[in-house]
Amino acid sequence: KITCAQGYFVQPHRAWAEGQLGPVAYFDVWIESRTEELVVQIGQLARIHGVIQRPAGTAGDVTIEARMAARLQPRVVVPNGRTSYEIRVLPGRPCALFTTIVAGSVDGYGLAKPVVVPNLDPGEVRRVDLTLTPLTGSVHGSVVLESGKPLAGARVRGSVLVPAAIPNAAPFRRECYGVSDALGAFVLIGIPRGELLLDVTVKDHPDIADPGTRTFEGVGDRSINVGAIVAPRGTKLRGQISGLQPGTVAPVVHTAPRLPDGSPDYTRWRSTRSAARGEFVFHRLAPGDYLVYVGGMDDTPVPVRVSPAVAETKVSVPSRNNAGR
């Protein structure tokens, strides 16, 4: 039995085998876009297990991730109270183990540096014990409204680009999360050294826009205060796709903030499907310059400025109406 996630786009998916082979087989499943052939590769996984040693008094789940030069990047969460772990990895290539306590003490603990595990044979079992140490890098600040009133419940995500520590493996972003409290304050702990991207999103306030992404330098072995992050009042971007032919399927419309170099900010990419006559609307946009796409990123965008002085900005976007689209 093969189980895999089905995505909107044709792309590789992870799938695990169940039944006679047991949960030790890995399938790399994808669909060839031209032939629609289902391609399946199967192989027996290797296993890494060991003891997690952490200072007395610490509590919280521990997330262990194995980074490899492959599409498979397995991750396991060790519940609070357990002292051992096991993770399955692809054989024939090295991997680097990273750990993060996702819910624990205020200080935060993890691996001081990645633990590199050499190549494993199919079915091989290797013991690797992990010792957690304090991670002193942290960021604290607050989220407020334009009036200065604290905003509770804002989701704060910090990410730092971390080298994979093994050959031919791309660097990845190590993330940590926090939520602003009743006073609007938040704290992110366990942040590695590097350039920090701080992204704040607001979900439960229909009239408030997301503050967006900010960059901070010098995070790593110390604590920094980013101050008050203002969540502006949101506005609507209402548009009309002009020139749609009768019977055309309502296209998907995308928008993203325009960066100073003219490119879109993909971290704040948003999409919506237009109505039958080509109308579309985006809610809760922060004031600023945006790019509007009809169909996809390869289309020529329409620039538009969302003004804070009005509750709704209107834009007209031409349709491509290409045959076969």
Side-chain angles (χ1 to χ4, degrees), residues 154-211:
R155 185 172 182 266
V156 185
R157 181 188 66 176
S159 64
V160 176
L161 193 65
V162 178
I166 54 176
N168 302 321
F172 69 99
R173 288 207 166 272
R174 183 171 178 176
E175 298 181 341
C176 50
Y177 300 90
V179 178
S180 60
D181 60 17
L183 299 179
F186 66 88
V187 177
L188 303 182
I189 59 176
I191 299 176
R193 182 182 299 275
E195 181 185 74
L196 172 70
L197 296 183
L198 198 64
D199 183 69
V200 180
T201 56
V202 181
K203 296 294 185 183
D204 300 328
H205 301 269
D207 297 329
I208 304 301
D210 296 336

Side-chain angles (χ1 to χ4, degrees), residues 4-207:
C4 68
Q6 182 177 0
Y8 182 78
F9 299 102
V10 177
Q11 58 183 347
H13 298 290
R14 303 176 186 175
W16 294 90
E18 300 176 1
Q20 294 181 348
L21 293 173
V24 297
Y26 170 72
F27 286 88
D28 199 8
V29 183
W30 68 93
I31 298 177
E32 298 290 347
S33 58
R34 296 183 179 179
T35 63
E36 296 186 356
E37 176 186 3
L38 181 64
V39 181
V40 179
Q41 295 177 341
I42 183 173
Q44 192 176 22
L45 296 172
R47 290 187 297 161
I48 302 173
H49 73 104
V51 174
I52 300 176
Q53 301 173 350
R54 54 180 169 181
T58 60
D61 300 339
V62 181
T63 301
I64 302 174
E65 183 170 345
R67 304 296 304 186
M68 296 179 290
R71 282 190 290 265
L72 176 64
Q73 307 294 345
R75 174 184 297 181
V76 63
V77 178
V78 182
N80 182 34
R82 288 190 57 183
T83 58
S84 62
Y85 77 97
E86 179 179 292
I87 189 168
R88 297 181 175 92
V89 299
L90 288 176
R93 65 200 72 191
C95 69
L97 299 180
F98 296 82
T99 64
T100 302
I101 292 184
V102 295
S105 65
V106 69
D107 292 330
Y109 290 82
L111 287 177
K113 60 181 181 179
V115 176
V116 178
V117 181
N119 297 359
L120 300 178
D121 296 327
E124 182 180 351
V125 179
R126 183 171 300 180
R127 176 168 177 168
V128 178
D129 294 336
L130 304 176
T131 301
L132 305 186
T133 58
L135 299 176
T136 57
S138 65
V139 169
H140 60 98
S142 62
V143 183
V144 300
L145 300 175
E146 291 176 325
S147 62
K149 180 181 178 181
L151 180 62
R155 185 172 182 266
V156 185
R157 181 188 66 176
S159 64
V160 176
L161 193 65
V162 178
I166 54 176
N168 302 321
F172 69 99
R173 288 207 166 272
R174 183 171 178 176
E175 298 181 341
C176 50
Y177 300 90
V179 178
S180 60
D181 60 17
L183 299 179
F186 66 88
V187 177
L188 303 182
I189 59 176
I191 299 176
R193 182 182 299 275
E195 181 185 74
L196 172 70
L197 296 183
L198 198 64
D199 183 69
V200 180
T201 56
V202 181
K203 296 294 185 183
D204 300 328
H205 301 269
D207 297 329

